[in-house]
Amino acid sequence: MSDILHIGRSGLLTSRTALEVTGENIANVDTPGYLRREVLTREIYPSGGVEVMDVRRAFDGLLADRMRDAGSAQAAAEVFQSHLSALETRLTPGPGGLTETLDAFFDAIDALAQTPDDAGLRQAVTGAGRALAAQVNDLATSIDAQIRGIEAERAQAAEGANGILASLAKLEQDIANTHDGADQNPLLDAREAKLGELSRLVPITVEIDDKGRATVRSADANGPVLLEHGQAGRIDTAPDGRIMARPPDPGASAVSLRPSSGTLGGLADAADVVATSRGDFDYWAGRVANEINAVHAQGLTSDGEPGGPLFLASGWIAQPGALMRGTNTVDVTITDESLMPEGPLTLVYDAAAGLWMAQDGAGATLAQGTESLSLPGVSLVISGTPMDGDRIALTRADADASFFRMAIRDPADLAAGGALVVSADPDNTGSARLSVGTVPGTPNTLGPPSLTADLASGAAREFVTEGPVGVIPAGSGDTTLSAQARLAAMELPWPEGATGTDLAFTQGGTAYSFPVPTGLA
């Protein structure tokens, strides 16, 4: 009788445990990371009856690996698409955007070409040019901000991964200290959830040993260990979208790798696309400046001079030295782009002399001063409080959209006048068209010549010609011009071998006769 009661009691207890597990499964059906539990029973031998052997998680290691891989790929695609859409929004033409501003500038140029001496139209061109430069600068700044934002997201994702690794290390220690299988299950669920979170940041592989301990490795490169025996490694960001994976073992070397998926992989790919777009935009800005300047050089200013550069796209990037102790900033003004040094330049402060020195790459001093320095084509103004030995590195940036600006400040310097005007004769009856231009590689000699060389010589010069004889450049010193009375003169070629005693000709209806001096013939 006791055996029957014992067997019945064991069955009831086992059924109660099974019902409790079923209830737990139903209650946690929507709980993230929870895995369904299964009750494993066995016969009680030899007395009979049944007992619960274990409550196991319905865990499939292969399925878990595939889910982590899928989550890693999804996270990479989501973050990449997000930044690609943001870049597309910035570059897509819209109302008031770069395309409209560029069209407005060319419209202003076309209007001025019809009436080159109109001061109001000249002001309109300079205003439209500054608006164009502002739009180019704004777009370049916007792309740069996106690049910095991606880098900040990379750093944040790396720190997030390090936090998860620390949590996993704590869970591994708790799992090792918990010997009851049923009590381990919530810890194992929590570990699996954390592994899923980690895989969305960086691709990983997970190995579970026979003691239930997890070893986590990076799924890229040589698979450096990130978690082992309850000890966590570390992930740091590196340039060019790479990361430095540092294993838990202090004696192990860090591994540089580029994540193939996960948030860190998607951000690396997004950074490449945005950086490429920034480089393409710089190239476009440089081409626009060069081609507009080439056309502008073919026209004439109000003073009759060929047009100078209309737009510039060069500048200097200032970076404080690693041991900078002072609070200094430098303002760089380009005075003549063609004379600028190649760079890089280094500004060094000598406290004993109280001077800043501008040095080239070889260490030669190019200029020095207390607060302002003048170099060929560049003017520097330094503000702030310097300390001895402070250094500021200056790197030249050519064809950089962030430095795109209008070079002309005075509207009178706009070369809106044509060097040669071509118009059809009223009596023309045909449909022929005539194009006039200069031969590539040859100087533009259209229009009155410059008198720079004549003025520099200091000697008097006589001009005998109809119309303008030349142009006196702006900024020239005192020049004396006079119109002298001139006696009538005539030059006649004497035929070779001819002889004569007098010369007779008619001028204005009056006959004139002159004797030819002896020996002249």
Side-chain angles (χ1 to χ4, degrees):
M1 187 69 176
S2 59
D3 290 340
I4 295 175
L5 292 175
H6 175 74
I7 293 172
R9 181 175 180 274
S10 67
L12 289 173
L13 291 176
T14 300
S15 297
R16 186 180 70 177
T17 301
L19 287 173
E20 290 174 350
V21 171
T22 301
E24 185 179 2
N25 288 337
I26 295 173
N28 290 280
V29 67
D30 291 327
T31 301
Y34 178 84
L35 292 181
R36 181 174 56 85
R37 310 290 196 250
E38 296 177 346
V39 178
L40 300 181
T41 62
R42 65 181 176 182
E43 178 187 1
I44 300 176
Y45 182 83
S47 60
V50 63
E51 66 178 353
V52 176
M53 182 177 65
D54 196 5
V55 178
R56 294 184 180 178
R57 300 160 60 242
F59 177 74
D60 186 327
L62 180 60
L63 179 61
D65 290 341
R66 290 181 176 178
M67 289 185 65
R68 284 191 291 266
D69 291 343
S72 188
Q74 181 185 18
E78 288 175 350
V79 71
F80 179 77
Q81 177 62 31
S82 172
H83 283 285
L84 202 63
S85 297
L87 178 63
E88 184 179 12
T89 300
R90 289 183 172 93
L91 298 179
T92 300
L98 180 58
T99 302
E100 284 192 1
T101 308
L102 187 63
D103 290 341
F105 171 75
F106 285 123
D107 289 343
I109 286 286
D110 290 340
L112 180 60
Q114 303 302 318
T115 315
D117 57 348
D118 190 310
L121 292 178
R122 286 178 173 270
Q123 291 285 357
V125 170
T126 54
R130 294 190 184 100
L132 173 60
Q135 281 278 5
V136 173
N137 299 156
D138 181 69
L139 183 53
T141 300
S142 177
I143 298 176
D144 289 342
Q146 185 176 8
I147 293 174
R148 292 192 298 270
I150 291 175
E151 191 59 33
E153 286 186 50
R154 289 183 65 233
Q156 184 178 13
E159 285 305 310
N162 292 329
I164 294 174
L165 286 170
S167 297
L168 283 168
K170 178 64 169 57
L171 283 170
E172 284 291 306
Q173 297 169 11
D174 292 342
I175 292 171
N177 295 328
T178 304
H179 302 290
D180 183 81
D183 292 338
Q184 277 189 346
N185 286 334
L187 297 175
L188 295 174
D189 283 348
R191 183 178 70 180
E192 193 60 35
K194 287 294 181 182
L195 289 172
E197 293 177 20
L198 182 61
S199 67
R200 289 188 63 83
L201 295 176
V202 60
I204 59 172
T205 60
V206 181
E207 300 174 3
I208 307 296
D209 64 14
D210 54 359
K211 294 183 179 180
R213 296 177 300 186
T215 299
V216 179
R217 298 175 180 271
S218 167
D220 295 302
N222 297 323
V225 174
L226 299 176
L227 177 75
E228 188 176 36
H229 298 154
Q231 300 296 319
R234 180 174 178 82
I235 293 175
D236 294 314
T237 57
D240 300 326
R242 304 181 71 82
I243 61 172
M244 296 296 296
R246 307 181 188 279
D249 183 1
S253 299
V255 178
S256 173
L257 56 93
R258 183 182 172 109
S260 59
S261 60
T263 297
L264 285 168
L267 289 173
D269 293 340
D272 288 346
V273 173
V274 176
T276 300
S277 298
R278 180 65 161 87
D280 292 342
F281 187 52
D282 289 339
Y283 175 76
W284 175 87
R287 283 286 304 273
V288 167
N290 291 337
E291 292 183 10
I292 290 180
N293 291 345
V295 175
H296 189 248
Q298 298 177 15
L300 297 178
T301 66
S302 300
D303 298 324
E305 289 290 327
L310 192 58
F311 289 103
L312 297 177
S314 298
W316 292 83
I317 300 173
Q319 185 69 31
L323 302 179
M324 186 86 171
R325 296 176 296 158
T327 57
N328 296 101
T329 59
V330 57
D331 182 30
V332 183
T333 302
I334 297 177
T335 56
D336 191 334
E337 188 177 27
S338 63
L339 300 178
M340 290 195 306
E342 288 298 324
L345 304 176
T346 303
L347 302 179
V348 183
Y349 185 70
D350 184 348
L355 295 174
W356 283 95
M357 294 177 292
Q359 299 176 345
D360 60 14
T365 299
L366 304 179
Q368 60 183 16
T370 55
E371 295 180 348
S372 61
L373 293 82
S374 180
L375 287 79
V378 181
S379 175
L380 308 177
V381 177
I382 306 172
S383 58
T385 304
M387 301 288 287
D388 188 43
D390 279 354
R391 291 173 176 265
I392 301 176
L394 295 177
T395 305
R396 177 171 171 172
D398 293 322
D400 191 320
S402 60
F403 293 111
F404 190 87
R405 64 197 179 280
M406 196 169 189
I408 287 180
R409 297 183 179 180
D410 187 352
D413 292 334
L414 288 170
L420 186 65
V421 178
V422 179
S423 60
D425 189 282
D427 296 332
N428 286 350
T429 58
S431 59
R433 300 179 63 87
L434 174 66
S435 298
V436 179
T438 58
V439 178
T442 61
N444 185 359
T445 58
L446 300 177
S450 172
L451 302 182
T452 302
D454 299 290
L455 298 176
S457 67
R461 178 176 174 184
E462 182 181 26
F463 300 96
V464 181
T465 183
E466 293 184 1
V469 297
V471 175
I472 300 176
S476 301
D478 294 339
T479 303
T480 301
L481 301 176
S482 63
Q484 302 292 333
R486 183 178 180 86
L487 298 175
M490 180 180 294
E491 294 182 0
L492 297 175
W494 197 267
E496 184 177 355
T499 58
T501 57
D502 60 0
L503 175 64
F505 65 91
T506 301
Q507 174 69 29
T510 303
Y512 299 92
S513 178
F514 299 94
V516 176
T518 304
L520 180 61

